[in-house]
Structure formats: C-alpha cells, structure tokens
Amino acid sequence: MGEWRSQRDPWGRHPGAEGWWSREPAHPGWVTATRPRPAGPAAVARRLTRVDARPLAFVLGALATLGLLGATLSFAVDVLVAPWRLLTADVEESLHLLASLIGIAGAFALWRGTPHARAVVLAGLAFNVGATLAFSADTLLHPSTWIPLSTWAGLAVLTLRARPAPPRPRPVRWVGAPPPTPRAPVRRR
C-alpha cells in the first residue's frame, strides 16, 4: 500500500518525501501530486474570498448616500459662497453627485439581485474615478485624493467578487376568493 514516516524521520525531510499519498494514485488513472499554484492576476482572483451581495449592497448604498450628501453640500456651498469655482470644483462635484446617484441605483439593483447590478455599480465607481482623475490629477499624492481612489478600487474588486443575491420571492396573488382561514371555535352558553 505505502509507507508511513514519522515527523522525526530523517529520510522524510528531503524534498519529494511527502509520504505515500503524494506518489500513489488515489484511483486508477488518477495521480495526486502537488503542483505549484500559478502566479498572476487570475490566481490572485481565485484565492480572494467571495462576498455576499446583500451586505455589500448595503455598504455601497450607505457610502453612495454619504457621497451624495457630501457632493450636494459642497456644490451648494460653492454656489453660494464661491461662485468663481463653478467651472472647476463644481463640475467635479456634480460628476461625483451623478456618480453617487448611479451608485445608489446600483446598490438597490445589487440588493434585489438583478443581472445588470454589477455593471451599474462599476459604472458609478468608474464615474467617481474618472472625475477625480480629470479634475484632481495634480493632487494624486495627497491623501484626500488617493484614499478615495483606493477605496473605489477596493469596492470595485469586492463588487466583481460578489456572489449574486438570490432573487426575492414574489408574493402569491390569489385569483378569486382567498383561501379559508382557520377560525377559533365559538363557545356557546
């Protein structure tokens, strides 16, 4: 059958001495050998854990709502206090506002389990990245720029690795009279 070696066996410490299970076939025609895992982006993607879509949708929706509030407040303050910034900062803020709206719609779609939900979420994240790169390219090394960029990249990876949510069951609609309900017995005196 094979051989058994203890942990202290000096003959079992050389390369290739893993024991009988690595050299003998488990089934006829099958060979169980350890192969090195391939390196590269595909191997890294396979090793990443999958996340559930509903908690991710909740986090994405909360972040998009906070982004929507922040972009709206910043846009309103710039319009009222600094109208000379309308052509630079407010264009970026309005693009972030639009990206937040797309992100909220994508979070709802991801929560419901619709097939196009990932694309909508990724479009909102790409809109955020594009607006930041277009209008804040000179401050990429500043933490107020690269932290949101890395957060959006991480959220994109999580979105791509999300397990699709099962569709919600639809309520049963009764055609005609509803089914009879059990009634409590009536006590007579």
Side-chain angles (χ1 to χ4, degrees), residues 72-134:
T72 304
L73 288 175
S74 176
F75 185 76
V77 166
D78 285 346
V79 166
L80 297 175
V81 176
W84 58 86
R85 293 182 56 188
L86 286 176
L87 296 178
T88 56
D90 285 342
V91 173
E92 181 182 3
E93 290 302 323
S94 18
L95 289 175
H96 285 301
L97 189 101
L98 180 63
S100 294
L101 290 173
I102 294 171
I104 290 172
F108 277 122
L110 194 63
W111 180 271
R112 287 191 312 255
T114 57
H116 66 283
R118 287 183 189 164
V120 176
V121 170
L122 291 175
L125 293 171
F127 232 90
N128 272 326
V129 169
T132 301
L133 291 178

Side-chain angles (χ1 to χ4, degrees), residues 33-53:
T34 56
R35 286 179 271 160
R37 292 186 178 240
V44 172
R46 274 192 301 271
R47 279 186 259 150
L48 288 174
T49 59
R50 308 258 311 171
V51 295
D52 289 332

Side-chain angles (χ1 to χ4, degrees), residues 117-164:
R118 287 183 189 164
V120 176
V121 170
L122 291 175
L125 293 171
F127 232 90
N128 272 326
V129 169
T132 301
L133 291 178
F135 292 100
S136 299
D138 53 342
T139 61
L140 279 180
L141 297 179
H142 196 269
S144 66
T145 305
W146 65 264
I147 289 175
L149 282 175
S150 60
T151 303
W152 293 324
L155 289 173
V157 169
L158 286 176
T159 303
L160 288 173
R161 296 296 300 167
R163 270 186 233 112

